[in-house]
């Protein structure tokens, strides 16, 4: 018996190293997309509501109108409703004040993805001074909803 035959060799085979590298690569492929997505703060409820209505207009092939009724945003055709928080107020800049079936028009989305050019601000009501929380605009060509914090 030779000296080398009695000793067991230490180390890893090439096959074992390839298997470990494949497992690491699969784990990295699963995690990496989550790390590369840019951070986007949570959307305000009003913006999420409008994005839902824009998608609904495209999917259903219907014109969706968003109207202000008291302290609520409602849709026509219904049944979607968003109640504004008690300390918030919605102030419409565009379209100009106009009554539509006894409700104020906020915006409209069309089935082709376009929309009414609209803009409004959400303010926090305070006893001393109202504070603008953010402004929402809809792009008429793409129906894109843009919100900007001051």
């Amino acid at each position: 018996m030779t000296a080398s035959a009695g000793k067991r060799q230490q180390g890893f085979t090439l096959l074992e190293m390839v298997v470990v590298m494949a497992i690491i690569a699969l784990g990295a492929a699963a995690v990496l997309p989550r790390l590369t997505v840019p951070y986007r703060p949570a959307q305000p409820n009003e913006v999420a509501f409008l994005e839902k209505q824009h998608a609904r207009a495209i999917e259903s092939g219907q014109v969706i109108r968003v109207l202000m009724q008291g302290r609520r945003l409602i849709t026509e055709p219904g049944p979607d409703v968003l109640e504004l928080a008690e300390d918030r107020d919605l102030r419409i800049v565009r379209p100009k004040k106009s009554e539509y079936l006894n409700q104020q028009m906020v915006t409209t989305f069309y089935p082709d993805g376009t929309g009414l050019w609209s803009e409004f601000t959400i303010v926090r009501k305070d006893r001393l001074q109202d504070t603008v929380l953010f402004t929402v605009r809809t792009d008429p060509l793409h129906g894109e909803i843009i919100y900007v914090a001051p």
Side-chain angles (χ1 to χ4, degrees):
M1 185 178 222
T2 64
S4 64
K7 289 184 181 178
R8 187 164 187 203
Q9 291 184 356
Q10 294 182 354
F12 300 103
T13 66
L14 180 60
L15 180 60
E16 291 170 329
M17 289 178 25
V18 167
V19 168
V20 169
M21 293 301 287
I23 291 170
I24 291 171
L26 286 173
V31 171
L32 192 61
R34 294 186 185 141
L35 297 176
T36 59
V37 173
Y39 172 74
R40 185 174 177 189
Q43 288 183 334
N45 291 339
E46 296 83 358
V47 174
F49 182 79
L50 292 178
E51 286 187 350
K52 178 182 175 186
Q53 302 317 313
H54 182 240
R56 188 173 147 219
I58 294 169
E59 291 168 7
S60 70
Q62 293 181 315
V63 174
I64 304 291
R65 289 180 183 80
V66 179
L67 308 166
M68 183 83 178
Q69 184 182 59
R71 301 207 31 80
R72 303 180 318 159
L73 291 176
I74 63 168
T75 61
E76 182 193 83
D80 293 340
V81 175
L82 175 70
E83 189 80 33
L84 292 176
E86 201 161 304
D87 67 336
R88 290 187 173 189
D89 196 17
L90 186 145
R91 298 193 180 147
I92 298 171
V93 177
R94 181 181 300 118
K96 296 295 182 194
K97 185 160 180 73
S98 64
E99 292 292 322
Y100 177 81
L101 299 178
N102 296 323
Q103 298 145 350
Q104 171 63 42
M105 175 70 72
V106 175
T107 193
T108 302
F109 296 109
Y110 300 103
D112 64 357
T114 61
L116 180 69
W117 185 26
S118 62
E119 180 178 346
F120 61 87
T121 57
I122 297 290
V123 296
R124 180 181 302 126
K125 296 186 300 185
D126 193 4
R127 284 181 281 153
L128 301 175
Q129 180 180 4
D130 292 346
T131 306
V132 174
L133 297 175
F134 56 91
T135 299
V136 178
R137 294 180 188 101
T138 57
D139 176 356
L141 297 177
H142 305 101
E144 182 182 11
I145 296 140
I146 303 159
Y147 73 99
V148 181

